[in-house]
């Protein structure tokens, strides 16, 4: 994603890839919000969710009709909470270690199959 973001303004293919990624994320988040009857918290995590402020910003812009808004300064700083205090939807950035989660789940699967 870093490579694509670095080429976003000069490479049509990079721009298309990012725009498609954001479109799919917004589509899925919107569908989940519809099924759940609304949205009170939106959490970004993992490599892109934790490290790509422009992607978070674009996804949140696509969900603005659900009350999602962010403070761009907090977003750029990757603060734990990137929504304004009085926002309808709480937007969070939560660190995770995906490799550890995968290792633990794999270990549990191997142990349970013995």
């Amino acid at each position: 994603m870093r490579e694509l973001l670095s080429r976003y303004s000069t490479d049509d293919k990079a721009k298309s890839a990012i725009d498609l990624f954001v479109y799919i994320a917004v589509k899925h988040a919107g569908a989940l919000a519809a099924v759940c009857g609304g949205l009170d918290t939106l959490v970004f995590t993992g490599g892109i969710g934790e490290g790509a402020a422009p992607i978070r910003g674009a996804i949140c812009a696509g969900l603005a009709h659900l009350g999602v808004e962010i403070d761009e300064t907090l977003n750029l700083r990757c603060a734990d909470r990137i929504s304004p205090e009085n926002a309808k939807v709480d937007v969070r950035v939560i660190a995770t270690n995906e490799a550890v989660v995968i290792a633990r789940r794999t270990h549990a699967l191997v142990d349970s199959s013995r």
Side-chain angles (χ1 to χ4, degrees), residues 15-82:
K15 182 183 183 320
S16 291
I18 289 172
D19 291 347
L20 179 61
F21 180 88
V22 169
Y23 169 81
I24 291 169
V26 169
K27 181 170 92 169
H28 285 285
L32 287 169
V35 169
C36 293
L39 186 64
D40 58 7
T41 303
L42 178 65
V43 176
F44 289 97
T45 192
I48 296 170
E50 290 175 55
I55 301 299
R56 288 192 304 266
I59 291 170
C60 288
L63 297 171
H65 66 286
L66 296 174
V68 175
E69 61 179 302
I70 59 171
D71 177 315
E72 198 54 47
T73 301
L74 295 174
N75 186 36
L76 291 173
R77 287 197 332 235
C78 295
D80 293 341
R81 179 186 172 130
I82 61 173

Side-chain angles (χ1 to χ4, degrees), residues 55-113:
I55 301 299
R56 288 192 304 266
I59 291 170
C60 288
L63 297 171
H65 66 286
L66 296 174
V68 175
E69 61 179 302
I70 59 171
D71 177 315
E72 198 54 47
T73 301
L74 295 174
N75 186 36
L76 291 173
R77 287 197 332 235
C78 295
D80 293 341
R81 179 186 172 130
I82 61 173
S83 53
E85 284 296 321
N86 60 346
K88 179 180 175 188
V89 176
D90 190 23
V91 183
R92 301 280 180 164
V93 179
I94 298 177
T96 188
N97 187 331
E98 293 165 314
V100 169
V101 172
I102 292 167
R104 286 180 180 152
R105 297 240 171 118
T106 303
H107 184 266
L109 283 171
V110 170
D111 274 357
S112 69
S113 68

